[in-house]
Amino acid sequence: MQISSVNDVKIYNLSHGKSLPEVRNIQRRIELIQDFEMPTVCTSIKVSRDGQFILATGTYKPRIRCYDTYQLSLKFERCLDSEVVAFDVLSDDYSKLVFLHCDRYVEFHSQHGHYYKTRIPKFGRDFSYHYPSCDLYFVGTSSEVFRLNLEQGRFLNSLQTDAVENNVCDINPVHHLFATGTSEGRVECWDPRVRNRVGMLDCALSIQGLPSISSLKFNGSLTMAVGTSTGQVLLYDLRSSQPLLVKDHFYNLPIKSLNFHDPLDLVVSADSKIIKIWNKDNGKVFSSIQPQTNINDVCIYPKSGMLFTANEDPKMNTFYIPGEYMALGPAPRWCSFLDNLTEELEESPESTVYDDYKFVTRKDLENLGLSHLVGSSLLRAYMHGFFMDIRLYHKVKSMANPFAYEEYRKDKIRQKIEESRTQRVQVKKLPKVNKELALKLMEEGDDEAELASRKKKGKALPSILGDDRFKLMFENPDYQVDEQSEEFRLLNPIVSKVGQKRKKKLRLLAQQAAAEDEEEPEGRASSEEESSDDDKSWVEEVREQRRLLRQEDRDRRRQERKEADRNTVLQPQFYQIKAGEEFRSFNDMARKQKLQKASLEDRLKLEEQSGTSNVSDTAVGSKQLTFTLKKSEQQRKQQQAEREHHQERKKLRRSAGHLSSGRGRGWGGGRGRGGEEEEEAGTEEGGLGRSQGLGSEWTAEAFLAKSSSKNLFVLL
């Protein structure tokens, strides 16, 4: 239960109870009707004429719930095929119900449940029941007003209006005048006895803009209230076309509900944000109720101070406004205990719900060692922290710091001693924080005190050092002024010049106090000229400070780049060889010439020993590249097989000494000369023989070894 007071009127929200802290609210919560809520949203709510049953429609799924006030609980629940736009109770109890659905269907329910279902030609928005003729009047997205007679069980001739669409309708309970509100801002009145229009009221002429009619309600035989889509309520006397009173909600939201409270001559109007209760004679506000969620419908329990609201929330709110003088009425008979309860609350007001709880942040929980309680029932999350029981907090606080009381006691004793010392002779003592600022303020205070002492009627201004509002500036180290910061250095020239002007002003005032009649000597610069010179000087100082700051910033960035270059490890580039021989020097011309003069046999032997091959190209600047040739596994196997084959041939070869000819054809087309050994080399071994221009002999085995390495030689 939540108590609020608006315009000295106490309003009790009996449905309030699930806010924080929840444990405390369980002790104070009043569950007036059990399960008085919807699964998602409640769209409309009504009370039967006998006052025993409260019926509400909602979603999702679309349904109707009936609550028995004598049992304070849910009586029955029925699910529907589609959402309900409007419904009405035709009988004194819940036995005859009519529902207008959003899909144009009109559904009738009896005491046992669903009874009949029919359909209207256009989508409906509202309907009213005419008791004398048993006619249902349906208005909607059409200019016609459809009539369904429940006694005959058939549709009758429709009423043709001048409007494009009709939003709401109502029937006067005294003389049964039927009125419909249009989307053009007009109210058309019809006599059901003759089915003729008896009058038209243009409400848009009384207010600015082109509002449509969003709600309509009769009170007595002559009073009618009209709610507009722009948030105004107009009270009319049926005998006049001018409104008696125009009440604005100032929210520019459509008026959704209108009710009259006859005992106090009040009007209860509601839009989606607020419920306003005001006097219908002068428009003076009696009270107002603003729920936490948007409002869909408002229903006043007859002859009582209780009202129900259907909200965009599962819970349906119940408000009660009691009191001896300023009250809507007593509590209903089925909950008469509310009067005694509210009287006790007024006599002995209870402490607020947060007195027994301590608000702690997550950092406080870490300091107390209670982080493991997050998510448990001992902590209730709220905003950026948690609520916990004050007794638990004090107990954990004493365990976490058992000497807290001793420290508190010593601190209090120290404060008492310091207060007693104030009566003694004070010695100027600089604080621990911002000593320079304190010294400057002391000097300025002394100058002002000296000036005030010279003037008889003067009075020194209070010092910042003696002001309790600024004492933390000289006690807390977090307020220490950093004189090396950029902000201070840019602001210091201005502050220093202001201080110099202040001192100069004090000196001038002192001179004026000494000799008030003394005039300014001739040739002396005026104060305005001096101030302009001072302004130029401090502007130059600020520019100089800016230049120094920029220079320091450049030096700092330069130093950072040097440190970064010093700590940078150079990575090898793509042309650098990480393994094997590196590039040889381009200037080693003597070694190159020596290799060029050597024979092909010597150069090949050197290459066999080093396992490398050199390629020289004089066309690109005599650059030399050294690389290592890698043989595949297949090439190595082929060479091994060739070597084994030649070894077998050597074992099986025959001597050719008996041949007379000393000249043989070498292997591969080479021509050999010499004796028997040369013939054997030329015929059987397949040697190259001695070529002209070469200074050595070569065997076929050596040639095959070099040819497999993909080296090409030109034999001259």
Side-chain angles (χ1 to χ4, degrees), residues 590-638:
R591 184 175 59 81
K592 292 181 181 179
Q593 293 177 1
K594 185 177 179 180
L595 289 175
Q596 289 178 358
K597 292 179 180 180
S599 62
L600 179 61
E601 181 181 7
D602 296 337
R603 282 183 284 176
L604 292 175
K605 286 182 179 180
L606 290 175
E607 291 180 0
E608 285 181 356
Q609 294 176 2
S610 60
T612 60
S613 180
N614 298 334
V615 177
S616 178
D617 188 2
T618 57
V620 293
S622 298
K623 296 181 181 179
Q624 185 174 1
L625 175 67
T626 303
F627 58 92
T628 303
L629 299 176
K630 293 183 179 180
K631 299 177 181 179
S632 63
E633 186 68 24
Q634 184 178 1
Q635 291 176 348
R636 287 196 296 269
K637 289 181 180 180
Q638 183 179 359

Side-chain angles (χ1 to χ4, degrees), residues 8 62 93 109 158 163 171 180 228 331-332 340 344 371 387 416 434 439 456 458 546 555 618-619 660 702 709:
D8 295 332
D93 55 2
H109 280 220
S158 302
I171 294 179
T180 175
T228 64
N340 298 330
E344 292 177 1
S371 301
F387 273 113
K416 291 290 184 182
N434 291 327
L439 182 60
K456 296 180 180 180
R546 288 186 180 276
D555 295 341
T618 57
S660 60
S709 301

Side-chain angles (χ1 to χ4, degrees), residues 100-285:
L100 175 61
H101 294 280
C102 61
D103 54 358
R104 295 193 290 144
Y105 275 101
V106 179
E107 188 172 354
F108 298 89
H109 280 220
S110 62
Q111 189 171 5
H112 67 271
H114 174 76
Y115 179 78
Y116 183 73
K117 194 174 185 179
T118 186
R119 203 172 190 182
I120 58 177
K122 299 291 183 179
F123 289 98
R125 293 178 178 174
D126 195 9
F127 71 93
S128 295
Y129 181 62
H130 187 242
Y131 283 93
S133 62
C134 296
D135 287 343
L136 280 174
Y137 290 84
F138 296 94
V139 297
T141 59
S142 173
S143 61
E144 295 180 314
V145 178
F146 305 107
R147 293 195 303 151
L148 176 62
N149 188 270
L150 301 184
E151 184 180 6
Q152 303 178 26
R154 66 187 182 93
F155 283 96
L156 303 179
N157 292 333
S158 302
L159 304 180
Q160 184 66 41
T161 64
D162 294 339
V164 178
E165 294 178 351
N166 294 279
N167 296 330
V168 291
C169 63
D170 193 22
I171 294 179
N172 192 292
V174 179
H175 48 70
H176 305 291
L177 180 69
F178 173 74
T180 175
T182 67
S183 59
E184 291 84 4
R186 297 187 182 93
V187 176
E188 296 188 13
C189 297
W190 296 74
D191 189 352
R193 297 171 295 181
V194 295
R195 298 187 299 278
N196 290 329
R197 186 173 63 192
V198 296
M200 180 183 293
L201 182 65
D202 194 350
C203 300
L205 298 177
S206 302
I207 54 178
Q208 296 180 356
L210 296 174
S212 61
I213 306 301
S214 59
S215 58
L216 186 66
K217 189 70 174 179
F218 281 105
N219 180 41
S221 58
L222 298 176
T223 306
M224 179 180 65
V226 179
T228 64
S229 60
T230 55
Q232 291 87 16
V233 179
L234 296 87
L235 286 181
Y236 284 95
D237 190 310
L238 295 181
R239 297 167 294 184
S240 174
S241 60
Q242 296 297 324
L244 301 176
L245 182 67
V246 178
K247 183 67 177 178
D248 197 343
H249 275 218
F250 297 106
Y251 279 101
N252 292 327
L253 297 174
I255 303 298
K256 291 192 172 184
S257 175
L258 287 173
N259 292 278
F260 287 91
H261 190 271
D262 294 331
L264 296 180
D265 291 334
L266 299 176
V267 178
V268 181
S269 58
D271 56 22
S272 60
K273 277 196 172 295
I274 194 171
I275 303 172
K276 288 194 174 184
I277 307 172
W278 43 279
N279 192 291
K280 68 177 183 179
D281 295 330
N282 51 24
K284 184 178 180 181
V285 176

Side-chain angles (χ1 to χ4, degrees), residues 417-456:
I417 293 174
E418 290 180 355
E419 289 176 0
S420 62
R421 286 177 179 175
T422 56
Q423 301 176 0
R424 305 177 185 177
V425 178
Q426 295 293 326
V427 180
K428 287 185 178 180
K429 184 179 179 181
L430 294 177
K432 296 181 180 180
V433 182
N434 291 327
K435 295 181 180 180
E436 295 79 5
L437 179 60
L439 182 60
K440 180 180 179 181
L441 293 175
M442 287 180 181
E443 293 177 354
E444 293 180 355
D446 294 341
D447 294 340
E448 292 180 356
E450 183 180 357
L451 178 61
S453 62
R454 292 182 180 181
K455 289 186 175 182
K456 296 180 180 180

Side-chain angles (χ1 to χ4, degrees), residues 343-390:
E343 289 177 2
E344 292 177 1
L345 291 176
E346 291 178 359
E347 292 176 359
S348 58
E350 296 185 5
S351 59
T352 181
V353 71
Y354 300 102
D355 289 347
D356 296 337
Y357 282 81
K358 173 68 176 177
F359 180 80
V360 292
T361 61
R362 192 175 292 272
K363 186 176 181 181
D364 296 336
L365 292 177
E366 293 176 357
N367 295 334
L368 296 174
L370 299 178
S371 301
H372 61 282
L373 296 181
V374 176
S376 64
S377 59
L378 297 176
L379 295 177
R380 299 291 176 179
Y382 183 71
M383 294 179 67
H384 63 283
F386 305 89
F387 273 113
M388 66 182 301
D389 194 280
I390 192 67

Side-chain angles (χ1 to χ4, degrees), residues 54 125 157 185 271 363 385 457 478 516 529 581 584 709 711:
I54 302 172
R125 293 178 178 174
N157 292 333
D271 56 22
K363 186 176 181 181
K457 297 182 181 180
D478 296 337
E516 295 181 354
E529 294 177 356
E581 284 188 322
R584 298 178 181 177
S709 301
N711 293 328

Side-chain angles (χ1 to χ4, degrees), residues 6 85 194 282 471 475:
V6 179
V85 177
V194 295
N282 51 24
K471 65 179 181 179
E475 296 177 0

